[in-house]
Amino acid sequence: MTPEVFVKEFEELKEYIGEGYFSEGSEISRLSRLQAAGFSASQIELTKELVSEALTDALYTVLLGLEGSASISRHQEMYKLLDESGQELTGKIESLAWERFHGKNT
């Protein structure tokens, strides 16, 4: 695995959760709960935007935290992340994560 693929996996996770929560028939859909609570279509759309922003913040921070360029909770430490073949993934994660999560409209 390359750092690019690793970061892309996080982006795909964000898309899976974000789309799944707001898609009828999805195994992880939360639409029925929102509708049962009386949310209007515009309120559901706002909630979708907020969930997307929260996922962006959380996943981006975790990626940077794994590389040591941000703290995860109270601690900031450098980690060396390796794939199963021993190839190091850390070292480029920060710039790749920025591009995936902030460099375009997410």
Side-chain angles (χ1 to χ4, degrees):
M1 178 177 289
T2 65
E4 291 84 2
V5 171
F6 183 72
V7 171
K8 188 173 187 312
E9 292 281 323
F10 277 78
E11 179 187 34
E12 290 172 359
L13 175 61
K14 177 193 174 211
E15 291 171 6
Y16 170 76
I17 294 171
E19 291 173 14
Y21 268 36
F22 300 94
S23 297
E24 294 214 22
S26 166
E27 293 178 8
I28 62 170
S29 180
R30 302 303 196 264
L31 276 178
S32 61
R33 289 180 65 190
L34 295 171
Q35 292 164 340
F39 279 45
S40 68
S42 63
Q43 289 171 318
I44 290 173
E45 187 59 35
L46 176 60
T47 303
K48 183 177 181 179
E49 291 171 15
L50 293 172
V51 167
S52 177
E53 291 172 13
L55 287 169
T56 293
D57 292 345
L59 294 172
Y60 178 73
T61 300
V62 167
L63 281 167
L64 270 58
L66 288 172
E67 189 164 71
S69 53
S71 63
I72 299 175
S73 188
R74 293 175 285 159
H75 299 94
Q76 182 172 347
E77 296 184 31
M78 297 295 293
Y79 298 96
K80 189 173 193 176
L81 188 63
L82 308 173
D83 70 8
E84 61 186 24
S85 67
Q87 179 178 343
E88 186 171 359
L89 301 175
T90 44
K92 292 177 57 179
I93 289 177
E94 183 177 8
S95 62
L96 294 168
W98 175 263
E99 181 59 33
R100 288 279 179 187
F101 288 93
H102 297 292
K104 59 181 180 178
N105 292 332
T106 56

